[in-house]
Amino acid sequence: GGARRLPPPPAVTSPSTAAASPLDGAASADVAASPQASAAPAAPAPNIVGGTVLPTDGPAPIERLRTAVASRRAEGEPLDEGAAGRVVEFLNAELGDEMLGWLLRWTEVGDKARRRNMWSRGSWTPRTATLTSVSGAALSFRVGVAVRGRKELEHVESELPLPHAVETVDGLRDELLRLSAEPADKGSEPALAPGSSAALLRLPGATDDWSLPRDLWLNTTPYPREVREMVYSDVAAAVQAAVADPACPRRMRLLVAPPELNMEMDSYRVGSMLELVRKVSLDLAACGLRTRVCVQGSMGEGVLAGVPRVLAGVSKLLGMMDWQAGEGEPNEGLLGAGAADALVRFGAIGGEEVAPDDDVLLVLAPQSMVGAPIVPPLEALSEAAVSQGSAVVLINPLLQDRQSSSGVMGVRGRAERLAFAESFAEIYHFRLLYSGTTFMYPILGALRMARQDGRRVLYRRLEGGGGEQYLPVGCWVGREPTPREMSELLPSTVGSGEARGESAAAPPGSATGSADERMPWD
């Protein structure tokens, strides 16, 4: 599996022609008749929302979003005889006897070993495992067992049933990753080590939905346009998948923290964050979903009143940036004449900010200040939105307490504040890993998770041959890796090796990149 560009977002209709009926299919109170349509009696008058012509029939916006998400989903090869043979060869070569972990955890081989060794340890010990065949329902193994008193291994046949029947190699990979993960009802070690689980990502015939492009050069800012677009598209796809999934809680959060989007680093660029928000908003609006971008207003009292430094002026910049929503532009009328008739609208944080027709609320980096907690207004916004079925997505939230001499955000109520922060389901995670915390350099690797697959993949960064590449070295399903696990899998120095695969961008020629890559407000 060579490195490649992350999958682009689905091809969705431009907001200028997208349906934007409410989620329940009811007509909007802000709909007006088009003058052009009224001049032709034979044609039904179209709806207009914020100057955008919308069809009066067709699927609801949420259904259009689900169709767009489904169209992006790529299927791996069918699990036919040829694919099964390649899988058998790959697993025997890459994992070998490590597959004993599956058998000891999930088959009668493990049960028998525990019974036989209960009173006399080592009397019946499985030593080797060879995969003989694969089907859509089970994996067949030949197991070599060391029996006390015998020189030769005793061989037994065993079958590992899959939790769910599959028809494709992608489905097989997902089931094997689930079998490898630590069971929810047991505190024991996982059946397969996270480092070995990473090999399953490269299963022959499976979709490459995990690799990162080479030559990202994320320690060089500003990023080239193609690198920024790759990050934006990856985040937008995860948000769309989460909003479209009825099983996903309506309270969501995401963390995207390369240096340009990491508010704790001096390389943070507000222009990149606003571009990310614009990309996510436009992709949701393209399916007709009304999206509100929320930025917290002034907090605190007296001399302590204000907004966090990283959010200063962001509300004003949101209205000033180029949304291509002017007359004759692709997104004409997207912002509307006011908040009531717009597909994309702006607001602050608070329960009163939620409109009845808001479908998605994007909350940009909510965070407390000294003497002014963000939790009460954010909780009011969340309750008002979730009660009407709207989704709330926190982008790079910082919800930890800020201690002050006034006693605000002290011990009292801390458990409730922590519980509130944990009530948001994580739908996307991307951050870099460094050798230390002082200079954030060099980049040793990255950790990524997206809602679409739920896998957390740990990458090691390699340099060589004038290129850069991120290779997977660990994989977790259903839980976060511990710091110890990541330390064991990620060496403390940058790896060496010639990068292969598709390049996302040519390495910048200087530490600041080319002048034409700068934002207008830089």
Side-chain angles (χ1 to χ4, degrees), residues 93-459:
E94 293 290 330
L95 299 182
D97 294 339
E98 291 185 69
M99 292 184 288
L100 270 175
W102 291 334
L103 301 172
L104 294 176
R105 175 63 59 83
W106 302 112
T107 70
E108 76 285 349
V109 171
D111 295 336
K112 184 175 181 179
R114 285 186 286 272
R115 290 195 306 269
R116 297 282 291 270
N117 297 326
M118 181 179 298
W119 302 110
S120 180
R121 185 175 182 180
S123 61
W124 199 85
T125 307
R127 297 291 189 189
T128 65
T130 303
L131 182 62
T132 57
S133 65
V134 171
S135 70
L139 280 69
S140 299
F141 290 88
R142 189 168 187 260
V143 184
V145 182
V147 181
R148 181 176 295 166
R150 296 185 185 179
K151 294 183 178 181
E152 301 294 332
L153 292 178
E154 174 184 314
H155 289 92
V156 297
E157 303 296 324
S158 180
E159 188 172 84
L160 173 65
L162 298 176
H164 303 92
V166 300
E167 297 180 352
T168 65
V169 180
D170 274 0
L172 175 64
R173 179 178 62 183
D174 292 342
E175 296 305 314
L176 292 179
L177 285 170
R178 291 189 183 96
L179 290 173
S180 304
E182 181 178 359
D185 58 343
K186 296 183 181 180
S188 56
E189 293 295 321
L192 202 64
S196 300
S197 296
L200 295 175
L201 298 174
R202 300 182 284 108
L203 205 63
T207 303
D208 181 5
D209 56 358
W210 49 266
S211 66
L212 297 179
R214 68 178 181 89
D215 297 340
L216 290 174
W217 303 110
L218 296 177
N219 57 351
T220 305
T221 57
Y223 299 153
R225 171 62 59 182
E226 52 266 38
V227 173
R228 292 201 298 267
E229 290 295 338
M230 184 211 72
V231 175
Y232 304 157
S233 297
D234 199 31
V235 174
V239 172
Q240 291 179 45
V243 173
D245 186 0
C248 183
R250 295 297 88 182
R251 293 185 179 187
M252 314 171 193
R253 61 184 168 93
L254 64 89
L255 174 69
V256 51
E260 277 197 11
L261 297 172
N262 190 339
M263 294 184 174
E264 299 180 354
M265 300 178 68
D266 57 5
S267 55
Y268 169 68
R269 305 174 77 234
V270 65
S272 299
M273 179 61 73
L274 293 178
E275 280 193 329
L276 170 66
V277 171
R278 180 175 62 186
K279 171 65 175 176
V280 175
S281 303
L282 290 179
D283 282 2
L284 292 172
C287 293
L289 296 178
R290 291 174 170 83
T291 304
R292 183 177 299 277
V293 182
C294 302
V295 182
Q296 67 192 72
S298 179
M299 301 172 59
E301 298 179 355
V303 296
L304 297 179
V307 297
R309 178 180 57 84
V310 293
L311 295 177
V314 170
S315 296
K316 185 176 181 179
L317 286 173
L318 276 171
M320 294 173 57
M321 71 185 303
D322 183 13
W323 290 83
Q324 292 189 316
E327 185 176 354
E329 293 185 313
N331 302 325
E332 179 180 352
L334 180 74
L335 303 182
D341 62 346
L343 285 176
V344 176
R345 58 280 295 266
F346 309 126
I349 297 180
E352 69 281 358
E353 298 290 331
V354 182
D357 61 345
D358 283 342
D359 297 320
V360 181
L361 293 96
L362 304 177
V363 185
L364 179 56
Q367 52 194 282
S368 298
M369 297 178 60
V370 175
I374 189 62
V375 170
L378 183 59
E379 188 171 17
L381 179 143
S382 301
E383 290 179 353
V386 174
S387 65
Q388 66 183 28
S390 303
V392 179
V393 183
L394 308 186
I395 301 177
N396 287 3
L398 297 171
L399 301 182
Q400 63 266 30
D401 289 345
R402 302 270 185 155
Q403 299 300 320
S404 66
S405 58
S406 61
V408 179
M409 290 178 283
V411 176
R412 178 178 297 178
R414 180 172 296 171
E416 290 76 10
R417 292 192 297 272
L418 293 175
F420 172 73
E422 291 298 322
S423 67
F424 290 84
E426 189 168 43
I427 61 172
Y428 183 85
H429 185 108
F430 180 79
R431 62 185 172 97
L432 301 179
L433 304 172
Y434 306 91
S435 59
T437 58
T438 303
F439 300 104
M440 301 299 180
Y441 181 86
I443 299 173
L444 299 181
L447 184 67
R448 177 183 177 270
M449 185 276 291
R451 171 72 187 182
Q452 298 93 312
D453 49 56
R455 302 188 295 258
R456 295 181 185 269
V457 181
L458 177 67
Y459 300 88

